Amino acid sequence: MMKSKTSEKSNVKYYSIFLMLGGFLFLAFGKMAIATPNHGVVLLYHHVSEDTPASTSISPAKFAEHMAYLKEHHNVIPLQTLIENIQNGQPVPENSVAITFDDGYRNIAENAHPIMLKYDFPYTIFISPDLIGKQKHQLNWSEINKLSKQGVSFANHTRFHKHLLLGNEQDNWLANTIEDIEHAEQSIKRNTDFDLKYLAYPYGEYNQALSQGLQDRGFIGFGQQSGAISKNSDFGALPRFPAAGIYANLETLKVKMNTLDMPVISKSVAEPQLSLAKRTPTQTIKVNLDDMHTSQLNCFYSGKPIKLNWEDNSFTYSIEDPLPKGRSRINCTAPSIAYAGKYYWFSQPWFVPDENGNWLD
């Protein structure tokens, strides 16, 4: 509570108390007026197993630890509720988190689902329908429908889980890619009755033409860059925090699950796809600084801070060494002034093909 500014010479006891109570009420009602904004976080998992690739896996024990923490400290809500409420300006619970899995692995049903049932947590699995029943490590339609009756939602991860940017220099690439995505959506609807029109990009890869084309057809896209979601987010490529592999550490994940969407006004470069010849991007980001400790706004690449140049409410960073082939991210964070312990978070993905125009797994 703020200290009363009544003169120290004043000895009017009740007046002093009145001022202190007034200050308390001001803070209380002021906080109500600027209640935690409609922001939410989406977590991304793949395998829940100790026998699968480490980079995309979390052990059942560690996953159980994550869920126990969420039960105690966060509101786990359906992905649909989070997205629709934010889009429609309706409130979401404070500290909301939605949980997603990519690829539809059977170990989700075997190892994750019992834990989710224990806490009555809703979650969404992004599946590639043309792989269902074709690979033994994938869920089959019978298992998918059983899970759907127990509160699990299913959404689109493309037909075959291929790199969507492959061949994007061809004239018919965009039309063919969207046609395949819509084909997958119809397959999911036919087999599960789900028709969310949510697409998780395989490997998190997309470009501006694809994300805009999908939005024009009523889809919402989900990437693998990190960050929170608000009404100001790009709904063609919403962020999710990876929570497995090297990102499974709960201590660092606690900070991420408490983040807010950085209020970016504009970006000088929005296209995340780079060429092998030009992969040293410079990007200027204009932000609303009203609720940020600007002096503590920092950007990081590969875990190391990068230099920022400020002009008014815009900062610029430059990548001097060529980005590697594959996927890279620049993450920027700044602590909130109004919401102690919360950080604003922005993540810019960059995608670079190899010498043959192929994309790395």
Side-chain angles (χ1 to χ4, degrees), residues 3 43 56 69 71 79 82 97 104 109 133 135 156 180 202 206 213 232 237 253 305 308 345 348 361:
K3 294 182 179 179
L43 298 182
T56 54
Y69 179 82
K71 184 65 175 180
L79 181 63
L82 176 65
V97 172
Q135 299 177 347
N156 197 332
D180 278 359
Y206 66 95
N232 297 316
L253 196 60
L308 302 181
W345 192 294
Q348 173 64 50
D361 289 349

Side-chain angles (χ1 to χ4, degrees), residues 28-35:
F29 283 100
K31 188 172 182 62
M32 289 173 61
I34 55 169

